[in-house]
C-alpha cells in the first residue's frame, strides 16, 4: 500500500486528497497544518498517521495534549515539515501548503527521493530552477496537481515529446470579474473577490484567480514543469472550466483534457499515476453544458499576466519577487489595508526592483522573497 505524507491536509486540496485516500485506501504516514488543531485531531483519529506537524508551536503543544492517547508523534515549525517528508515509511509526498513556506519541504522531499505530487505552485514560481535541478539530480518526477498542469501532463501522454509541441494552451476561468473595466475593478471588495464562479478553493488562490495572478503564476509553473519557453504558452479564457488545458503539436493536432471542474480528478491522477481508476466526482455531460466559450484575456485590465510573463522572460529571481510581493499584497487586501487594483501596482513594482542574477541558492531565494514583501509593506503604508 502506498504511504502518503500530505502537507496542508486541513486545506482545500488537502481535504479533497483525503477524500481520494478514503476511496482508495492509501496509507497515511504524515499530515500537516498551520494551526487548525480541531481538524487535525479529527484527521489523526481517522487516519492514524505515524507523525503530524503543526507549524505553529502553540498549536503543536495543544495537539500533543489532545492526542496523547494515540501513538502519533507531533512535530512543529518549518523544520517539522521537512522531518515529516523524510519519514522512512513515506513513499509519496503531496505538497498542498499555501505559499513560499512549501519550498524547503519540496526540496527536502526531492532530496529524500520521495515521489512528489505538487499543488504548491508558489514553490516552482519562486525557485523553479533550483527545484527542477534538485528533482533531476535525485531522479524524481514531479507530478502536477494544478488542474491545468495535470491536463498538460495528461495530454503529453506520459512521455515527454515537448520538442514536438508548438504551444501549450493554458485555460483560465476568468474569475468573478470577467468583463469588468479597470474602473469597476477599483471598487471591488474582498467579499466579491472571494466568490469564485467554478472552484471552491482557499482564500489566497481565490484572490489570485480574481486578479488573474493565478494564471501568471501558472504560466511560470508550466515553463518549469514542461521546459517550454514563455512565448509558447497561450492563455485562453474559458468560462466553464471544462477544458482544463491543451497542447498544440507540430502537426497542428490539438490534444486536451476535459472533465467537470473538480480538483479530486487531478489530485487522484497524481496519487495513482500512472494508473487510472474511478474517482469520487460527477461525470461530464457535454450536452448539459451545450456550448463552451473561449476568449482572449484582457491583459490591459488584468496586467498581472504581463508582469508574470515579463518576470519569467527576465529569469533569475524576478518570478520569486513577483510571487513574494503578491503573497504580501493579497494578505494586505484580505485585511482591508489596500484596494484590489493596488495588488497590480505593488506586484509589478516589486518585481522590477529585483536585481538580475542567473544562478541562485535557497538563501538567495528567501532573501529576494523577503525584500519583495518588505517593498510591498512599506509602499502600501506610504501610498494608501
Ligand atoms: P488552503 O488555504 O485551503 O489550505 C492551506 C493549507 O496549508 C492548510 O492546511 C493550512 O493549515 C496550511 N498552511 C497555511 N499557512 C501555512 C503556513 N504558514 N505554514 C504551513 N502550513 C500552512 O489552500 P489551498 O488548498 O486552496 O491551496 C494549497 C496550494 O494548492 C496552493 O499553493 C494553491 O495555489 C494550490 N492549488 C489549489 C487549488 C484549489 O483548488 N484549492 C487548485 C490548484 C492549486 P491551517 O488549516 O491550519 O491554516
Ligand atoms: Mg490551476
Amino acid at each position: 500500500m502506498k504511504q502518503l505524507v500530505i502537507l496542508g491536509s486541513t486545506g482545500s486540496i488537502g481535504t479533497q486528497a483525503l477524500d481520494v485516500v478514503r476511496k482508495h485506501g492509501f496509507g497515511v504516514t504524515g499530515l500537516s497544518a498551520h494551526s487548525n488543531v480541531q481538524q487535525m485531531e479529527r484527521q489523526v483519529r481517522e487516519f492514524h498517521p505515524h507523525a503530524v506537524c503543526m507549524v505553529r508551536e502553540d498549536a503543536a503543544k495543544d495537539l500533543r495534549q489532545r492526542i496523547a492517547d494515540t501513538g502519533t508523534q507531533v512535530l512543529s515549525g518549518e523544520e517539522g515539515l521537512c522531518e515529516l517528508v523524510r519519514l522512512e515509511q513515506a513513499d509519496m509526498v503531496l505538497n498542498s501548503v499555501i505559499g513560499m513556506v512549501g519550498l524547503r519541504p519540496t526540496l527536502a522531499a526531492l532530496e529524500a527521493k520521495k515521489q512528489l505530487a505538487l499543488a504548491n505552485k508558489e514553490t516552482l514560481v519562486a525557485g523553479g530552477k533550483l527545484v527542477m535541478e534538485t528533482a533531476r539530480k535525485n531522479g524524481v518526477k514531479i507530478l502536477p496537481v494544478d488542474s491545468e498542469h495535470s491536463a498538460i501532463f495528461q495530454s503529453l501522454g506520459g512521455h515527454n515529446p515537448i520538442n514536438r509541441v508548438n504551444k501549450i494552451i493554458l485555460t483560465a476561468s476568468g474569475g468573478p470579474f470577467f468583463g469588468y473595466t479597470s474602473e469597476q475593478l477599483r471598487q471591488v471588495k474582498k467579499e466579491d473577490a472571494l466568490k469564485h464562479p467554478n472552484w471552491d478553493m482557499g482564500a489566497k488562490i481565490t484572490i489570485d484567480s480574481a486578479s488573474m495572478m493565478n494564471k501568471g503564476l501558472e504560466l511560470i509553473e508550466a515553463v518549469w514543469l514542461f521546459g517550454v519557453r514563455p512565448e509558447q504558452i497561450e492563455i485562453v479564457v474559458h468560462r466553464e472550466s471544462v477544458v482544463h488545458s491543451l497542447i498544440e503539436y507540430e502537426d497542428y493536432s490539438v490534444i486536451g483534457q476535459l472533465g467537470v471542474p473538480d480538483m479530486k480528478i487531478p489530485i487522484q491522477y497524481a496519487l495513482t499515476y500512472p494508473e487510472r481508476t474511478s474517482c469520487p466526482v460527477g461525470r461530464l455531460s457535454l450536452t448539459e453544458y451545450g456550448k463552451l466559450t473561449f476568449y482572449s484575456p484582457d491583459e490591459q485590465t488584468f496586467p498581472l499576466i504581463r508582469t508574470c510573463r515579463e518576470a519569467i522572460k527576465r529569469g533569475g529571481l524576478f518570478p520569486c519577487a513577483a510571487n513574494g510581493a503578491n503573497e504580501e499584497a493579497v494578505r494586505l487586501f484580505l485585511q482591508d489595508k489596500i484596494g484590489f487594483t493596488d495588488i497590480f501596482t505593488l506586484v509589478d513594482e516589486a518585481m522590477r526592483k529585483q536585481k538580475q542574477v542567473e544562478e541562485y541558492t535557497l538563501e538567495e531565494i528567501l532573501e529576494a522573497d523577503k525584500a519583495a514583501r518588505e517593498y510591498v509593506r512599506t509602499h502600501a503604508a506610504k501610498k494608501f
Side-chain angles (χ1 to χ4, degrees):
M1 199 203 298
K2 202 184 257 183
Q3 294 293 327
L4 304 178
V5 169
I6 302 178
L7 303 184
S9 63
T10 54
S12 158
I13 295 287
T15 51
Q16 294 182 80
L18 287 172
D19 286 341
V20 171
V21 167
R22 276 185 197 100
K23 171 111 197 314
H24 294 289
F26 294 112
V28 175
T29 299
L31 296 170
S32 90
H34 179 250
S35 48
N36 190 340
V37 178
Q38 271 118 349
Q39 200 173 352
M40 185 54 86
E41 178 178 353
R42 281 196 296 273
Q43 292 183 352
V44 168
R45 296 195 183 280
E46 180 178 354
F47 295 99
H48 314 290
H50 178 83
V52 298
C53 173
M54 297 303 296
V55 171
R56 263 186 44 187
E57 293 291 341
D58 55 342
K61 209 168 150 200
D62 185 3
L63 186 69
R64 266 182 214 115
Q65 284 172 353
R66 285 169 182 255
I67 61 161
D69 60 315
T70 70
T72 299
Q73 185 191 359
V74 182
L75 306 165
S76 66
E78 274 188 49
E79 193 37 52
L81 292 178
C82 296
E83 223 177 296
L84 204 59
V85 305
R86 292 190 197 109
L87 282 176
E88 203 188 315
Q89 300 88 334
D91 302 306
M92 183 172 206
V93 174
L94 166 62
N95 187 349
S96 53
V97 299
I98 188 91
M100 267 291 282
V101 68
L103 184 58
R104 276 188 225 264
T106 284
L107 295 171
L110 295 171
E111 278 156 8
K113 299 192 179 9
K114 307 291 184 187
Q115 268 192 302
L116 179 65
L118 192 61
N120 177 236
K121 65 187 88 182
E122 295 88 354
T123 293
L124 268 180
V125 171
K129 191 158 195 262
L130 184 64
V131 172
M132 296 312 289
E133 272 171 16
T134 311
R136 205 167 29 246
K137 267 190 214 147
N138 290 284
V140 181
K141 196 180 185 82
I142 298 179
L143 297 160
V145 172
D146 213 347
S147 57
E148 296 77 2
H149 304 74
S150 175
I152 297 161
F153 182 67
Q154 294 182 55
S155 304
L156 283 169
H159 27 247
N160 199 359
I162 207 71
N163 51 353
R164 294 273 171 260
V165 164
N166 283 342
K167 66 174 179 184
I168 285 175
I169 303 169
L170 191 67
T171 52
S173 74
F177 306 137
F178 172 73
Y180 276 41
T181 62
S182 301
E183 188 45 43
Q184 284 174 307
L185 271 192
R186 266 192 282 281
Q187 316 298 331
V188 303
K189 296 276 163 279
K190 76 172 177 212
E191 294 70 31
D192 312 315
L194 283 169
K195 279 185 217 130
H196 196 280
N198 304 345
W199 301 96
D200 184 10
M201 310 177 284
K204 192 259 177 184
I205 182 174
T206 305
I207 302 298
D208 288 349
S209 300
S211 70
M212 297 209 66
M213 178 68 178
N214 186 48
K215 220 37 65 176
L217 296 174
E218 290 186 356
L219 184 149
I220 301 173
E221 189 185 5
V223 166
W224 286 116
L225 281 173
F226 305 110
V228 291
R229 285 174 281 111
E231 308 79 56
Q232 283 176 285
I233 301 176
E234 180 190 3
I235 296 173
V236 171
V237 176
H238 165 47
R239 296 295 284 157
E240 296 80 14
S241 300
V242 164
V243 180
H244 297 303
S245 280
L246 316 97
I247 285 181
E248 183 193 278
Y249 283 89
E250 231 171 22
D251 60 357
Y252 302 118
S253 198
V254 177
I255 301 203
Q257 184 254 342
L258 286 72
V260 289
D262 190 317
M263 284 305 296
K264 285 195 278 297
I265 299 177
I267 294 170
Q268 175 171 307
Y269 190 64
L271 299 185
T272 61
Y273 174 82
E275 307 298 332
R276 285 189 191 274
T277 147
S278 83
C279 188
V281 296
R283 297 170 87 163
L284 172 64
S285 162
L286 283 174
T287 49
E288 247 168 58
Y289 278 92
K291 66 177 179 201
L292 300 176
T293 56
F294 302 93
Y295 308 88
S296 293
D298 178 356
E299 296 190 11
Q300 197 77 28
T301 313
F302 294 90
L304 288 177
I305 297 180
R306 288 203 292 227
T307 303
C308 287
R309 196 180 279 117
E310 184 170 342
I312 185 67
K313 277 188 184 166
R314 289 184 180 203
L317 290 167
F318 289 102
C320 172
N323 177 68
N326 180 61
E327 286 194 28
E328 194 60 28
V330 170
R331 200 177 62 80
L332 294 175
F333 173 68
L334 287 172
Q335 294 173 351
D336 295 315
K337 292 194 176 143
I338 60 171
F340 187 67
T341 50
D342 299 329
I343 302 176
F344 301 169
T345 344
L346 290 166
V347 172
D348 194 70
E349 286 173 6
M351 186 276 283
R352 283 170 208 290
K353 286 277 163 208
Q354 175 58 42
K355 301 233 165 20
Q356 184 80 52
V357 291
E358 293 301 322
E359 301 294 322
Y360 49 79
T361 60
L362 172 60
E363 286 65 37
E364 285 161 339
I365 297 173
L366 299 175
E367 264 168 41
D369 173 70
K370 203 168 141 204
R373 286 168 195 263
E374 189 62 44
Y375 180 91
V376 169
R377 272 194 301 273
T378 359
H379 286 76
K382 264 192 218 152
K383 271 191 190 170
F384 313 107

